[in-house]
């Protein structure tokens, strides 16, 4: 059973302890406060990523996001292609007098066009001036802190891996092209080819020749000789001849 008055005694003890300590005063606005990394100040807009899908405006429970857009026709990229239409953002405004900083719009954005900014100095004297257009939201975008570092053991994101491989491939191609330009051209070795021709010269073959024997015989013949060059002709060359001599020999 608690002693009556014990709670009052504990409270007075806390008061006495704090009374003996020096008070700390934040020198704001001369010294800016150190905000946590995930502070919810205002919402920044990265306009290039917005596709006017209207998800943020539909999911907002306060209906404080106002978006206007129009459609434009994009010419075909290739001859014979089909024209396409796209949404062009005309207005993106957030009424911070209604916003309750739930962050649903940031969570449902499929293209990462909305981000939390730690900026908090946007007080106005008129409530109507708390509706900020896309120009102001874009200025707050540059105050968005960088995302926390990934776990060193985590897998590399697919987008970063694809971009890195593309850069490495382009660098390798550029290095190969530079090496090819710097290397002097190499002369091809000369190749001599014996062309077929027509002439006369010593070549093995068949032709008119004197046979060996006691008598004298005559014979005629035509042949093609083979050698360093394919030639045809007549002349003194070893060959075959037929003849008859008085001794009955064959030459």
């Amino acid at each position: 059973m608690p002693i009556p008055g014990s709670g009052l005694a504990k409270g007075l003890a806390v008061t006495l302890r704090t009374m003996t300590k020096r008070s700390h005063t934040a020198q704001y606005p001369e010294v800016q406060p150190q905000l946590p990394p995930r502070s919810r100040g205002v919402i920044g807009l990265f306009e290039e990523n917005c596709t006017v899908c209207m998800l943020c405006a539909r999911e907002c429970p306060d209906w404080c996001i106002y978006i206007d857009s129009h459609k434009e026709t994009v010419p075909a990229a290739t001859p014979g292609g089909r024209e396409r239409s796209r949404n062009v953002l005309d207005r993106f405004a957030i009424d911070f007098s209604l916003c309750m900083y739930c962050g649903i719009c940031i969570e449902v954005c499929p293209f990462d066009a909305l981000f939390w900014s730690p900026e908090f100095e946007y007080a106005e004297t008129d409530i109507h001036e708390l509706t900020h257009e896309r120009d102001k939201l874009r200025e707050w975008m540059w105050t968005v802190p960088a995302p926390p570092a990934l776990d060193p053991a985590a897998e590399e994101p697919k987008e970063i891996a694809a971009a890195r491989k593309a850069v490495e491939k382009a660098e390798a191609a550029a290095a190969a092209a530079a090496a090819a330009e710097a290397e002097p051209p190499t002369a091809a070795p000369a190749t001599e080819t014996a062309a077929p021709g027509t002439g006369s010269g010593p070549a093995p073959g068949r032709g008119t020749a004197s046979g060996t024997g006691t008598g004298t015989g005559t014979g005629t013949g035509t042949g093609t000789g083979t050698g360093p060059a394919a030639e045809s002709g007549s002349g003194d060359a070893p060959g075959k001849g037929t003849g008859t001599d008085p001794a009955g020999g064959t030459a």
Side-chain angles (χ1 to χ4, degrees):
M1 181 177 180
I3 302 174
S6 59
L8 179 60
K10 291 180 180 178
L12 292 175
V14 173
T15 303
L16 292 175
R17 283 198 304 268
T18 56
M19 287 177 61
T20 58
K21 293 182 180 179
R22 186 176 180 179
S23 62
H24 174 74
T25 303
Q27 302 298 325
Y28 176 83
E30 286 78 11
V31 179
Q32 293 292 326
Q34 297 293 331
L35 300 177
R38 299 181 64 184
S39 297
R40 297 188 177 189
V42 291
I43 298 173
L45 171 66
F46 191 57
E47 188 176 337
E48 286 75 6
N49 286 358
C50 182
T51 60
V52 200
C53 64
M54 306 295 289
L55 276 177
C56 55
R58 287 198 297 263
E59 297 296 331
C60 178
D62 293 333
W63 292 5
C64 64
I65 300 177
Y66 312 110
I67 300 176
D68 293 332
S69 65
H70 70 277
K71 288 185 177 293
E72 285 186 357
T73 301
V74 181
T78 57
R82 186 180 61 180
E83 295 182 347
R84 298 182 180 276
S85 62
R86 67 173 181 179
N87 292 324
V88 179
L89 183 65
D90 293 331
R91 184 195 183 199
F92 194 107
I94 299 178
D95 187 356
F96 285 97
S97 65
L98 298 177
C99 180
M100 63 179 184
Y101 305 94
C102 63
I104 293 178
C105 57
I106 297 175
E107 296 295 331
V108 300
C109 181
F111 301 104
D112 292 336
L114 299 175
F115 296 88
W116 278 118
S117 167
E119 191 70 26
F120 62 92
E121 297 177 322
Y122 58 96
E124 301 291 347
T125 57
D126 189 356
I127 192 173
H128 297 91
E129 296 180 1
L130 286 175
T131 301
H132 295 289
E133 301 292 335
R134 63 178 183 175
D135 295 336
K136 187 64 175 179
L137 300 180
R138 185 178 181 85
E139 292 179 8
W140 284 333
M141 181 63 206
W142 310 125
T143 63
V144 174
L150 298 176
D151 188 349
E155 183 180 356
E156 186 179 24
K158 295 181 180 179
E159 295 82 359
I160 297 178
R164 178 177 52 79
K165 291 180 180 179
V167 171
E168 291 177 354
K169 185 176 180 180
E171 291 178 351
E181 292 179 359
E183 183 178 356
T186 304
T191 305
E192 296 181 358
T193 305
T198 304
S200 60
R206 293 184 297 170
T208 304
S210 298
T212 59
T214 307
T216 302
T218 59
T220 60
T222 304
T224 303
T226 60
E231 302 176 353
S232 63
S234 61
D236 296 335
K240 295 181 181 180
T242 58
T244 306
D245 59 3
T250 301

